[in-house]
Amino acid sequence: MPSKDSDVDRIVREVAALVGLTLGPHHLPGVAENYARLAAQAELLMAFPLEEGDEPAPVYVP
Amino acid sequence: MIEALTRTAAAHVVAAAVRAGDVSAEALVRAALQHIAARDQALNCFTALVDDQALADARRVDREVAAGRDPGPLAGVPFAVKNLFDVAGLTTLAGSRINAARPPALHDAAAVAALRRAGAVLVGALNMDEYAFGFTTENSHYGPTHNPHDLTRVAGGSSGGSAAAVAAGLVPLALGSDTNGSVRVPAALCGVFGLKPTYGRISRAGVALFSYSLDHVGPLARSVRDLALAYDLLAGPDAADPVCTSRPPEPTLPHLGASIAELRVAVAGGGFAEDAEPEVLEALEQVARGLGADRRVALPELPRAAAAASLITHAEGSALHLPDLRSRPDDLDPMTRDRFLAGALLPAAWVVQAQRFRRWFRARALEAFTDVDVLLTATTPFPAPPIGEASRTIAGREVATRAHVGAFTRPWSFIGFPALTAPIQRPGALPLGIQLVAAPYNEALLLRVAAALEAEGVVSAPAVGAAGATAETRRGER
């Protein structure tokens, strides 16, 4: 998980390039703020000890 | 008679009058369109009206009645839909400017078609948060929808146009969609009834989706009977929606008046009982006492459920709109753009963990419902906030207003359990919503309890003006 604002900015810029997003200077503060919020949610969620058998519930029917 | 039927009457009362030949559908629809023309400039519920088509549909209903045929249980009832439902001949905006360049839809969404088959008359399409990504309908492209009980406040969202139109008496029935609370939040803030059924219970075919795992369709109305009537018409299998259940529909109307004395009703504890304004918890307690619900049931891991729902919503919504996020991000609403952009950057492991956690949380919720039939919560932690409010302090903690307003609805849409919001009138104050939740496919239980509360006068949709500050008196403050 990113630990510093500078980490968040770097991750946002690098992953955005990876997925083909072009972020302008007016996008970066808002995107970084939202990414940091989502990363904090993920940190909470990833710390939860799920069992190997806890699989998602897909509705895909072949 | 026409005025009473168009402004305050329930849909089933309107339909009965039309079917009995007491009033013509054309006169009703014409009056509804005039009412909308007079009021909607202040409210901003509608993004499109289909006047000519509506009047033609109404005349068709009148011809059926004149010929001695039954036009259906919603004969002549004006209704409107959130503008993410396909309506043949209209472009499906989904609250966006980007989609405005698309051609008109060729067919009605399945839910729209179902209501039209029952004799209801579509009058227009309603405002919403862009791509349903919000709880307030503060749409930068089409303007905010105003709460009919106080025009300086939000209507809630994302189905804000739907809730405000029903609350203001512009239509007695509307359709919305609910991914994290988007039917229930605006219904609660505007003081009307709203139902988010079990995931997969109502077809989403022809609806612009937002987050595949969490999207539901549901009705909003001013009476429980209307909600049940609409639900019964809408529920059922549809091969055109891959998540729609093949389970046969279970009509709820026949059970509406059944006793609730034997039902086990409890109040949701934990976070549901803490992170809200005192006036909200007080209203909840009053309803609980009236139902004899003295048990508290706490669900574990609510903050993680909220986190997982958020991650799934962002990931799926952003993936859906990725081509536009890449090529024209500044055509998105500034209210949604940066959240969509951030959602496109999430590692797969986070999203997979969120989906796995969803299954875990569902199991805990099912355990909670083994000895409870209906759980009560407040629908929102506070009444309608002012338009533009970014944050507020709840229980000593600063929260983001626009996200926290969905704190009590999100856990249930996350796992697809049915949930209904019923309005509490408070003289001189804004309405609140009480949320009733049941195990999957138990919509009939929710509607029964809501009907009992309605019969006792505990819940009801306030008329505009009941909050003490009418739309007219607050207009100068906009």
Side-chain angles (χ1 to χ4, degrees):
Chain A
M1 305 297 165
S3 57
K4 299 195 301 278
D5 287 353
S6 58
D7 287 348
V8 173
D9 287 355
R10 181 180 51 78
I11 291 167
V12 162
R13 277 197 301 269
E14 290 178 0
V15 181
L18 186 67
V19 299
L21 295 174
T22 309
L23 298 185
H26 62 298
H27 299 134
L28 201 55
V31 177
E33 183 188 335
N34 279 287
Y35 186 85
R37 179 176 53 80
L38 291 163
Q41 292 172 350
E43 186 167 13
L44 179 68
L45 185 65
M46 297 306 280
F48 187 74
L50 288 167
E51 303 289 328
E52 276 192 19
D54 289 325
E55 60 172 307
V59 294
Y60 172 71
V61 179
Chain B
M1 180 178 184
I2 288 281
E3 187 170 304
L5 282 176
T6 50
R7 296 190 188 183
T8 53
H12 67 276
V13 175
V14 172
V18 171
R19 292 163 100 182
D22 295 338
V23 64
S24 81
E26 184 181 1
L28 270 171
V29 168
R30 204 174 283 284
L33 290 168
Q34 285 168 355
H35 192 202
I36 292 165
R39 291 296 316 282
D40 201 45
Q41 203 176 352
L43 295 169
N44 196 33
C45 299
F46 282 84
T47 52
L49 288 166
V50 289
D51 307 48
D52 293 343
Q53 181 67 48
L55 290 167
D57 289 348
R59 286 191 285 271
R60 189 161 49 246
V61 168
D62 289 333
R63 284 197 298 274
E64 294 280 309
V65 174
R69 292 189 292 267
D70 184 358
L74 290 174
V77 171
F79 79 107
V81 298
K82 186 175 185 175
N83 71 28
L84 52 58
F85 287 84
D86 280 353
V87 171
L90 281 186
T91 292
T92 309
L93 297 176
S96 73
R97 186 167 66 196
I98 289 171
N99 290 29
R102 293 184 178 181
L106 295 175
H107 307 285
D108 288 343
V112 176
L115 296 185
R116 276 181 153 166
R117 274 197 304 274
V121 176
L122 183 82
V123 296
L126 298 158
N127 200 14
M128 56 181 284
D129 291 279
E130 184 179 60
Y131 296 129
F133 204 0
F135 284 128
T136 57
T137 314
E138 294 170 291
N139 186 307
S140 306
H141 308 307
Y142 303 100
T145 293
H146 298 263
N147 193 304
H149 298 289
D150 179 343
L151 294 181
T152 67
R153 293 176 185 269
V154 302
S158 60
S159 311
S162 305
V166 172
L170 305 186
V171 286
L173 180 65
L175 292 179
S177 66
D178 189 318
T179 303
N180 285 289
S182 283
V183 163
R184 293 160 288 159
V185 167
L189 299 190
C190 288
V192 300
F193 294 90
L195 175 65
K196 182 208 75 65
T198 308
Y199 183 70
R201 207 34 160 147
I202 295 180
S203 173
R204 309 171 310 176
V207 175
L209 296 178
F210 170 26
S211 174
Y212 313 108
S213 299
L214 309 175
D215 289 335
H216 306 66
V217 163
L220 300 93
R222 296 176 58 85
S223 88
V224 177
R225 178 162 290 274
D226 287 355
L227 218 51
L229 178 56
Y231 171 77
D232 286 357
L233 290 164
L234 294 168
D238 184 359
D241 178 354
V243 310
C244 205
T245 179
S246 57
R247 190 180 168 114
E250 297 159 72
T252 61
L253 267 180
H255 309 291
L256 213 52
S259 166
I260 63 164
E262 301 303 314
L263 295 183
R264 300 161 300 174
V265 183
V267 178
F272 287 108
E274 291 158 6
D275 299 330
E277 298 283 8
E279 60 180 324
V280 171
L281 298 176
E282 206 171 288
L284 174 65
E285 281 310 313
Q286 272 181 19
V287 174
R289 274 196 299 275
L291 287 167
D294 47 12
R295 276 186 59 198
R296 293 286 182 280
V297 173
L299 280 178
E301 301 292 347
L302 280 180
R304 284 192 167 101
S310 170
L311 291 165
I312 291 169
T313 302
H314 279 79
E316 293 187 354
S318 299
L320 181 62
H321 297 294
L322 190 58
D324 289 325
L325 293 171
R326 281 174 169 154
S327 63
R328 49 193 300 195
D330 290 324
D331 287 338
L332 273 87
D333 188 332
M335 296 293 288
T336 68
R337 182 195 65 204
D338 293 351
R339 287 182 287 142
F340 274 123
L341 288 168
L345 310 178
L346 304 184
W350 295 0
V351 185
V352 173
Q353 176 88 346
Q355 287 284 6
R356 292 175 66 208
F357 182 80
R358 182 186 183 206
R359 182 88 175 270
W360 182 91
F361 187 69
R362 166 188 173 270
R364 303 292 84 74
L366 284 176
E367 286 166 9
F369 279 104
T370 53
D371 58 357
V372 168
D373 296 308
V374 173
L375 264 182
L376 296 179
T377 81
T379 308
T380 63
F382 40 84
I387 291 171
E389 182 180 290
S391 65
R392 64 169 52 203
T393 303
I394 301 274
R397 189 167 64 94
E398 187 173 347
V399 297
T401 300
R402 296 185 180 100
H404 192 67
V405 73
F408 300 158
T409 53
R410 186 182 279 120
W412 308 113
S413 28
F414 175 49
I415 50 175
F417 283 33
L420 181 156
T421 181
I424 304 286
Q425 289 204 36
R426 301 185 305 154
L430 291 163
L432 293 170
I434 296 298
Q435 182 174 229
L436 314 174
V437 187
Y441 305 109
N442 283 309
E443 283 83 354
L445 281 182
L446 301 180
L447 289 156
R448 259 170 75 191
V449 174
L453 290 170
E454 187 184 40
E456 290 166 16
V458 178
V459 299
S460 59
V464 168
T470 66
E472 280 71 26
T473 58
R474 299 299 288 263
R475 186 174 293 168
E477 297 176 26
R478 283 181 63 185

